[in-house]
Amino acid sequence: MKRKYIDRSNWERIERSKCVLINTFQEQFNGYASAIFVEKVYEKLVCNLDKRQFCLVDDGYVWIQRLPIEKNWSVTTMFDESNNIIQWYFDITKQNSIDMHKQPFYDDLYLDVVVFPSGEIALFDEDELKEALEKGNITQMDFELAYNEANQIINGVAKDVTYLSNMSYNDLEFFRAQLNINID
């Protein structure tokens, strides 16, 4: 299991960026959120899916990650340089918490749900989850938790692209205001 921090301060692909990290306890969202406004990358991040190629990180891109308390997932919204949503990436987690330095983190349970603005939904890294179980890196309960949580996302919020879009653009506006960045 991998522990990941939402500030991404050690992201080697990024040469220069601005980052905002907040904790929020609101009626609609109780947890932590971060935004990374990428100014300059050393190298683009490009992924392939079904003979399609997606650029996920490049100059001018924005990643906004929500880490809800008492949930077993984290969602990252990825925007291109024109503020178009590329995808929502749900990491399935064993726990979401803060460390002794008050840095928000999650323990990644390998399985991921990706939702595209078209409404297409994909499940990723099932092989990594099965391998982790076989090697004893996770328990059978962790394995079942990952699939249960992924199925809840797939059959729930992932089907509501309008909700995800509204949430994401509200987040983008909020974080831009925090850094006094004008929307292009």
Side-chain angles (χ1 to χ4, degrees):
M1 196 167 340
K2 303 172 210 169
R3 177 156 290 176
K4 296 182 177 179
Y5 290 85
I6 71 169
D7 72 350
R8 297 186 186 264
S9 58
N10 295 325
W11 200 1
E12 294 179 3
R13 182 179 303 276
I14 305 299
E15 182 178 336
R16 195 174 62 250
S17 67
K18 293 179 181 171
C19 183
V20 178
L21 177 65
I22 64 161
N23 63 341
T24 179
F25 300 98
Q26 302 171 355
E27 187 176 316
Q28 294 181 349
F29 178 69
N30 178 10
Y32 299 88
S34 69
I36 299 167
F37 292 84
V38 178
E39 295 174 344
K40 184 77 176 148
V41 298
Y42 290 111
E43 180 182 3
K44 292 180 185 182
L45 174 59
V46 178
C47 295
N48 297 303
L49 174 67
D50 297 332
K51 299 180 183 177
R52 292 176 291 169
Q53 199 170 63
F54 297 90
C55 182
L56 299 177
V57 173
D58 199 358
D59 298 349
Y61 281 43
V62 179
W63 281 29
I64 297 176
Q65 186 168 11
R66 285 175 166 236
L67 185 70
I69 300 299
E70 299 179 7
K71 300 285 185 184
N72 292 101
W73 53 267
S74 174
V75 61
T76 304
T77 306
M78 300 168 192
F79 296 89
D80 68 15
E81 75 283 355
S82 299
N83 301 316
N84 298 307
I85 295 172
I86 302 164
Q87 67 181 19
W88 294 275
Y89 195 97
F90 288 85
D91 286 287
I92 307 303
T93 66
K94 181 170 181 164
Q95 73 167 335
N96 299 342
S97 192
I98 56 172
D99 68 12
M100 65 180 145
H101 304 290
K102 299 191 186 221
Q103 293 299 310
F105 72 87
Y106 59 98
D107 291 330
D108 190 349
L109 273 178
Y110 306 98
L111 201 58
D112 304 304
V113 176
V114 176
V115 181
F116 296 95
S118 66
E120 180 183 357
I121 300 169
L123 185 64
F124 287 108
D125 299 331
E126 288 182 277
D127 54 338
E128 288 182 33
L129 179 67
K130 290 174 184 170
E131 184 179 322
L133 178 64
E134 290 168 4
K135 290 184 174 181
N137 295 334
I138 62 170
T139 66
Q140 183 67 36
M141 284 181 62
D142 295 335
F143 182 85
E144 291 170 11
L145 169 68
Y147 271 107
N148 289 337
E149 200 64 39
N151 285 325
Q152 285 182 22
I153 291 167
I154 289 167
N155 295 313
V157 70
K159 290 184 174 184
D160 193 347
V161 172
T162 301
Y163 168 79
L164 290 171
S165 293
N166 289 338
M167 173 196 74
S168 299
Y169 284 114
N170 287 338
D171 287 350
L172 182 61
E173 184 179 322
F174 170 82
F175 281 112
R176 283 188 183 282
Q178 298 304 303
L179 290 172
N180 294 317
I181 296 174
N182 294 322
I183 295 178
D184 299 334

